[in-house]
Amino acid sequence: MKKGLILLALLTLHVTTSHATGEKYLSSDTKLGLFIRSEFDDLSPEEVLSYESSFGEIVGKLKEKQASMKSEVGFLKYVFYTVHRKMLGEYEQYVTFSDIFKKQKKYDCVTGTAFYALILDELGIDYKVHETDYHVYLVAFSTGREYLFESTDPLNGFAWDPKEIAERRAYVNKESLRINAELAMTGLASEDVALQKATYIDTTVDLRQLAGLHYYNQALRQFNNNSYREAYKMIIIAQGIYPTQRIKNASAFMFSAAFED
Protein backbone atom coordinates (compact mmCIF):
# COMPACT_ATOMS: atom_id res chain seq x y z
CA MET A 1 0.00 0.00 0.00
CA LYS A 2 2.96 2.31 0.56
CA LYS A 3 3.76 2.40 -3.15
CA GLY A 4 0.11 3.18 -3.87
CA LEU A 5 0.07 6.10 -1.50
CA ILE A 6 3.02 7.62 -3.34
CA LEU A 7 1.08 7.32 -6.60
CA LEU A 8 -1.99 9.05 -5.15
CA ALA A 9 0.17 11.81 -3.74
CA LEU A 10 1.25 12.51 -7.30
CA LEU A 11 -2.26 12.29 -8.64
CA THR A 12 -3.45 14.89 -6.18
CA LEU A 13 -1.22 17.43 -7.83
CA HIS A 14 -3.52 17.37 -10.83
CA VAL A 15 -6.11 20.12 -10.82
CA THR A 16 -7.71 19.64 -12.26
CA THR A 17 -20.27 12.89 -8.18
CA SER A 18 -28.68 8.98 -5.66
CA HIS A 19 -29.00 12.12 -7.93
CA ALA A 20 -32.33 11.20 -9.53
CA THR A 21 -34.37 12.64 -6.68
CA GLY A 22 -32.84 16.08 -6.80
CA GLU A 23 -32.91 16.50 -10.57
CA LYS A 24 -36.63 17.25 -10.52
CA TYR A 25 -35.88 20.46 -8.62
CA LEU A 26 -33.51 21.76 -11.27
CA SER A 27 -34.39 23.72 -14.36
CA SER A 28 -32.96 22.14 -17.50
CA ASP A 29 -31.97 25.63 -18.60
CA THR A 30 -29.22 26.18 -16.03
CA LYS A 31 -27.38 22.82 -16.09
CA LEU A 32 -26.48 23.26 -12.43
CA GLY A 33 -27.35 19.61 -11.90
CA LEU A 34 -24.20 18.57 -13.75
CA PHE A 35 -22.08 19.92 -10.92
CA ILE A 36 -24.12 19.10 -7.81
CA ARG A 37 -25.36 15.62 -8.67
CA SER A 38 -23.15 14.05 -5.99
CA GLU A 39 -24.69 16.29 -3.33
CA PHE A 40 -28.39 15.66 -3.94
CA ASP A 41 -28.64 13.31 -0.98
CA ASP A 42 -27.33 16.04 1.31
CA LEU A 43 -29.22 19.02 -0.13
CA SER A 44 -32.81 19.87 0.58
CA PRO A 45 -35.10 20.87 -2.30
CA GLU A 46 -35.14 24.39 -0.83
CA GLU A 47 -31.34 24.60 -0.97
CA VAL A 48 -31.22 23.45 -4.58
CA LEU A 49 -33.90 25.95 -5.54
CA SER A 50 -32.03 28.73 -3.72
CA TYR A 51 -28.89 27.95 -5.74
CA GLU A 52 -30.85 28.11 -8.95
CA SER A 53 -32.50 31.34 -7.82
CA SER A 54 -29.13 32.96 -7.06
CA PHE A 55 -27.80 31.85 -10.41
CA GLY A 56 -30.88 33.11 -12.24
CA GLU A 57 -30.67 36.46 -10.47
CA ILE A 58 -27.11 37.22 -11.55
CA VAL A 59 -27.81 35.99 -15.08
CA GLY A 60 -30.80 38.31 -15.29
CA LYS A 61 -28.75 41.33 -14.21
CA LEU A 62 -26.00 40.49 -16.67
CA LYS A 63 -28.50 40.18 -19.51
CA GLU A 64 -29.84 43.64 -18.70
CA LYS A 65 -26.29 45.00 -18.83
CA GLN A 66 -25.60 43.11 -22.05
CA ALA A 67 -28.53 44.84 -23.73
CA SER A 68 -27.26 48.30 -22.79
CA MET A 69 -23.50 47.98 -23.46
CA LYS A 70 -22.10 48.54 -26.93
CA SER A 71 -18.51 47.50 -26.22
CA GLU A 72 -18.02 43.72 -26.29
CA VAL A 73 -14.72 43.85 -24.47
CA GLY A 74 -16.25 46.19 -21.92
CA PHE A 75 -19.16 43.85 -21.35
CA LEU A 76 -17.03 40.71 -21.00
CA LYS A 77 -14.74 42.51 -18.59
CA TYR A 78 -17.82 43.55 -16.63
CA VAL A 79 -19.01 39.92 -16.59
CA PHE A 80 -15.70 38.63 -15.30
CA TYR A 81 -15.28 41.08 -12.43
CA THR A 82 -18.96 41.29 -11.47
CA VAL A 83 -19.28 37.51 -11.22
CA HIS A 84 -16.03 37.25 -9.30
CA ARG A 85 -16.97 39.99 -6.85
CA LYS A 86 -20.47 38.69 -6.22
CA MET A 87 -20.05 34.91 -6.44
CA LEU A 88 -16.40 33.86 -6.07
CA GLY A 89 -15.06 34.67 -2.65
CA GLU A 90 -12.38 32.45 -1.10
CA TYR A 91 -10.16 30.10 -3.11
CA GLU A 92 -9.76 26.60 -1.71
CA GLN A 93 -8.65 23.50 -3.55
CA TYR A 94 -11.12 20.62 -4.11
CA VAL A 95 -14.26 22.39 -2.87
CA THR A 96 -17.71 21.35 -4.06
CA PHE A 97 -19.61 23.39 -6.62
CA SER A 98 -22.35 24.25 -4.13
CA ASP A 99 -19.78 26.00 -1.92
CA ILE A 100 -20.02 28.92 -4.34
CA PHE A 101 -23.54 29.58 -3.06
CA LYS A 102 -22.64 29.46 0.63
CA LYS A 103 -21.48 32.22 2.98
CA GLN A 104 -17.74 32.10 2.23
CA LYS A 105 -18.34 31.51 -1.50
CA LYS A 106 -15.45 29.07 -1.76
CA TYR A 107 -14.29 27.99 -5.19
CA ASP A 108 -11.35 26.39 -6.99
CA CYS A 109 -10.21 26.60 -10.60
CA VAL A 110 -12.65 23.91 -11.74
CA THR A 111 -15.76 25.21 -9.99
CA GLY A 112 -14.91 28.85 -10.72
CA THR A 113 -14.40 28.10 -14.39
CA ALA A 114 -17.58 26.02 -14.45
CA PHE A 115 -19.57 28.91 -13.03
CA TYR A 116 -18.25 31.25 -15.72
CA ALA A 117 -19.04 28.66 -18.39
CA LEU A 118 -22.63 28.35 -17.15
CA ILE A 119 -22.96 32.15 -17.16
CA LEU A 120 -21.60 32.49 -20.69
CA ASP A 121 -23.94 29.74 -21.88
CA GLU A 122 -26.88 31.76 -20.62
CA LEU A 123 -25.54 34.92 -22.28
CA GLY A 124 -25.07 33.17 -25.62
CA ILE A 125 -21.30 33.76 -25.72
CA ASP A 126 -19.03 31.13 -27.23
CA TYR A 127 -16.12 29.81 -25.18
CA LYS A 128 -13.71 26.93 -24.73
CA VAL A 129 -12.57 25.44 -21.44
CA HIS A 130 -8.94 24.35 -21.41
CA GLU A 131 -7.85 21.37 -19.33
CA THR A 132 -4.19 21.08 -18.33
CA ASP A 133 -2.43 18.84 -15.81
CA TYR A 134 -2.88 21.17 -12.86
CA HIS A 135 -5.33 23.81 -13.95
CA VAL A 136 -8.38 24.69 -16.02
CA TYR A 137 -9.24 28.06 -17.49
CA LEU A 138 -11.68 29.53 -19.99
CA VAL A 139 -11.28 31.48 -23.22
CA ALA A 140 -14.36 33.31 -24.53
CA PHE A 141 -14.86 34.27 -28.18
CA SER A 142 -16.62 37.30 -29.56
CA THR A 143 -16.27 39.51 -32.64
CA GLY A 144 -13.30 37.46 -33.82
CA ARG A 145 -11.29 37.95 -30.61
CA GLU A 146 -10.31 35.83 -27.62
CA TYR A 147 -10.88 36.82 -24.00
CA LEU A 148 -9.18 34.99 -21.16
CA PHE A 149 -11.19 34.18 -18.01
CA GLU A 150 -8.75 33.08 -15.29
CA SER A 151 -11.02 32.35 -12.35
CA THR A 152 -8.24 32.05 -9.76
CA ASP A 153 -6.96 35.59 -10.40
CA PRO A 154 -9.55 38.08 -9.08
CA LEU A 155 -7.42 41.14 -9.90
CA ASN A 156 -5.93 40.39 -13.32
CA GLY A 157 -7.85 37.34 -14.44
CA PHE A 158 -9.44 38.98 -17.47
CA ALA A 159 -7.22 39.56 -20.53
CA TRP A 160 -7.88 40.38 -24.16
CA ASP A 161 -4.42 41.20 -25.54
CA PRO A 162 -3.45 38.25 -27.81
CA LYS A 163 0.20 38.35 -26.73
CA GLU A 164 -0.69 38.29 -23.04
CA ILE A 165 -3.12 35.42 -23.50
CA ALA A 166 -0.53 33.41 -25.43
CA GLU A 167 2.12 34.07 -22.78
CA ARG A 168 -0.16 33.02 -19.93
CA ARG A 169 -1.23 29.84 -21.70
CA ALA A 170 2.39 29.00 -22.48
CA TYR A 171 3.31 29.53 -18.83
CA VAL A 172 0.64 27.07 -17.66
CA ASN A 173 1.93 24.41 -20.05
CA LYS A 174 5.54 25.11 -19.14
CA GLU A 175 4.74 24.62 -15.48
CA SER A 176 2.95 21.35 -16.24
CA LEU A 177 5.95 20.08 -18.17
CA ARG A 178 8.39 21.18 -15.45
CA ILE A 179 6.46 19.54 -12.63
CA ASN A 180 5.84 16.37 -14.61
CA ALA A 181 9.53 16.12 -15.45
CA GLU A 182 10.53 16.59 -11.82
CA LEU A 183 8.08 14.01 -10.54
CA ALA A 184 8.52 11.60 -13.43
CA MET A 185 4.75 11.32 -13.63
CA THR A 186 4.58 9.94 -17.16
CA GLY A 187 5.41 6.25 -17.22
CA LEU A 188 5.74 6.15 -13.45
CA ALA A 189 5.02 2.44 -13.30
CA SER A 190 6.66 1.56 -16.61
CA GLU A 191 10.10 0.13 -17.31
CA ASP A 192 9.98 1.50 -20.86
CA VAL A 193 12.27 4.54 -20.88
CA ALA A 194 10.48 5.94 -23.93
CA LEU A 195 7.26 6.11 -21.91
CA GLN A 196 8.94 8.01 -19.10
CA LYS A 197 9.53 11.18 -21.10
CA ALA A 198 7.63 14.04 -19.49
CA THR A 199 4.57 15.27 -21.36
CA TYR A 200 1.64 17.46 -20.45
CA ILE A 201 -2.10 17.73 -20.97
CA ASP A 202 -3.46 20.61 -23.03
CA THR A 203 -6.93 19.95 -24.38
CA THR A 204 -10.39 21.50 -24.46
CA VAL A 205 -13.38 20.05 -22.66
CA ASP A 206 -17.09 20.62 -22.85
CA LEU A 207 -19.30 21.38 -19.87
CA ARG A 208 -20.06 17.73 -19.18
CA GLN A 209 -16.38 16.76 -19.26
CA LEU A 210 -15.60 19.67 -16.94
CA ALA A 211 -18.12 18.17 -14.52
CA GLY A 212 -16.13 14.94 -14.77
CA LEU A 213 -13.00 16.81 -13.71
CA HIS A 214 -14.92 18.27 -10.79
CA TYR A 215 -15.86 14.82 -9.52
CA TYR A 216 -12.29 13.64 -10.10
CA ASN A 217 -11.20 16.41 -7.74
CA GLN A 218 -13.85 15.34 -5.24
CA ALA A 219 -12.52 11.79 -5.38
CA LEU A 220 -9.01 13.04 -4.64
CA ARG A 221 -10.31 15.10 -1.71
CA GLN A 222 -12.06 12.09 -0.22
CA PHE A 223 -9.02 9.90 -0.73
CA ASN A 224 -6.75 12.41 0.98
CA ASN A 225 -9.19 12.35 3.91
CA ASN A 226 -8.84 8.53 4.03
CA SER A 227 -12.47 8.12 2.96
CA TYR A 228 -11.62 5.48 0.40
CA ARG A 229 -15.10 4.22 -0.38
CA GLU A 230 -16.43 7.76 -0.80
CA ALA A 231 -13.45 8.44 -3.05
CA TYR A 232 -14.35 5.43 -5.15
CA LYS A 233 -17.96 6.59 -5.45
CA MET A 234 -16.76 9.96 -6.74
CA ILE A 235 -14.25 8.53 -9.19
CA ILE A 236 -16.87 6.20 -10.67
CA ILE A 237 -19.06 9.21 -11.42
CA ALA A 238 -16.07 11.04 -12.91
CA GLN A 239 -15.17 8.05 -15.06
CA GLY A 240 -18.72 7.68 -16.31
CA ILE A 241 -18.75 11.30 -17.44
CA TYR A 242 -15.19 11.73 -18.66
CA PRO A 243 -13.25 8.43 -19.00
CA THR A 244 -9.74 9.77 -19.58
CA GLN A 245 -6.72 7.62 -18.88
CA ARG A 246 -5.74 9.44 -15.70
CA ILE A 247 -9.27 9.12 -14.33
CA LYS A 248 -9.33 5.42 -15.23
CA ASN A 249 -5.98 4.93 -13.51
CA ALA A 250 -7.24 6.70 -10.39
CA SER A 251 -10.42 4.62 -10.49
CA ALA A 252 -8.50 1.33 -10.51
CA PHE A 253 -6.29 2.47 -7.67
CA MET A 254 -9.15 3.78 -5.54
CA PHE A 255 -11.03 0.52 -6.04
CA SER A 256 -8.13 -1.44 -4.60
CA ALA A 257 -7.86 1.00 -1.67
CA ALA A 258 -11.59 0.93 -0.95
CA PHE A 259 -12.04 -2.84 -1.06
CA GLU A 260 -8.64 -4.23 -0.11
CA ASP A 261 -10.05 -5.75 3.06
Side-chain angles (χ1 to χ4, degrees):
M1 187 63 182
K2 184 177 180 181
K3 181 178 179 181
L5 285 175
I6 294 173
L7 174 60
L8 256 292
L10 297 180
L11 285 172
T12 59
L13 290 171
H14 286 265
V15 174
T16 243
T17 42
S18 73
H19 63 278
T21 302
E23 284 181 348
K24 66 184 179 180
Y25 298 111
L26 287 169
S27 163
S28 60
D29 294 333
T30 66
K31 304 177 185 176
L32 294 184
L34 271 175
F35 294 92
I36 61 173
R37 59 183 292 184
S38 69
E39 302 175 71
F40 278 139
D41 281 349
D42 302 319
L43 297 174
S44 69
E46 291 76 19
E47 285 175 309
V48 176
L49 287 171
S50 72
Y51 298 163
E52 186 173 47
S53 177
S54 296
F55 180 77
E57 182 178 348
I58 192 168
V59 167
K61 291 180 179 179
L62 290 172
K63 285 184 175 181
E64 290 178 5
K65 194 70 173 180
Q66 186 178 29
S68 64
M69 291 190 71
K70 296 182 180 180
S71 167
E72 193 68 16
V73 63
F75 174 65
L76 289 174
K77 185 176 182 179
Y78 177 85
V79 169
F80 178 85
Y81 288 108
T82 298
V83 169
H84 214 296
R85 185 177 69 255
K86 291 183 177 296
M87 300 302 301
L88 304 181
E90 178 182 334
Y91 175 86
E92 183 177 310
Q93 199 172 28
Y94 302 149
V95 294
T96 63
F97 185 79
S98 67
D99 281 319
I100 289 175
F101 298 98
K102 297 175 183 177
K103 184 177 180 180
Q104 291 179 300
K105 301 180 180 179
K106 292 182 178 180
Y107 72 99
D108 60 17
C109 73
V110 174
T111 59
T113 298
F115 196 83
Y116 278 121
L118 290 165
I119 290 286
L120 294 178
D121 265 352
E122 295 294 323
L123 297 176
I125 296 170
D126 292 332
Y127 63 87
K128 287 184 179 179
V129 173
H130 292 256
E131 172 197 1
T132 72
D133 294 77
Y134 311 106
H135 192 49
V136 297
Y137 60 90
L138 183 150
V139 176
F141 301 91
S142 184
T143 61
R145 297 180 64 178
E146 293 186 343
Y147 303 89
L148 176 68
F149 279 54
E150 172 48 78
S151 66
T152 61
D153 186 352
L155 297 180
N156 301 295
F158 179 78
W160 65 93
D161 178 72
K163 183 179 179 181
E164 180 182 355
I165 293 174
E167 288 175 349
R168 293 177 73 162
R169 293 175 62 175
Y171 176 78
V172 170
N173 289 336
K174 184 178 179 180
E175 282 296 287
S176 292
L177 187 59
R178 178 186 66 78
I179 296 170
N180 287 348
E182 290 179 358
L183 298 176
M185 293 194 66
T186 303
L188 183 65
S190 173
E191 296 178 356
D192 188 338
V193 176
L195 292 177
Q196 295 178 12
K197 182 179 180 182
T199 59
Y200 62 90
I201 298 170
D202 183 12
T203 189
T204 58
V205 294
D206 60 25
L207 202 60
R208 182 176 176 81
Q209 292 166 333
L210 183 60
L213 290 176
H214 174 53
Y215 300 121
Y216 171 63
N217 271 359
Q218 295 308 301
L220 297 179
R221 179 173 67 92
Q222 294 291 347
F223 190 91
N224 288 341
N225 290 333
N226 298 320
S227 300
Y228 300 132
R229 296 204 176 189
E230 286 300 313
Y232 183 63
K233 286 169 60 178
M234 294 297 104
I235 202 66
I236 286 299
I237 295 175
Q239 185 174 331
I241 296 174
Y242 189 34
T244 63
Q245 192 59 52
R246 68 170 168 173
I247 290 177
K248 290 179 181 178
N249 290 344
S251 176
F253 185 84
M254 289 179 184
F255 175 84
S256 64
F259 302 104
E260 64 176 354
D261 296 336

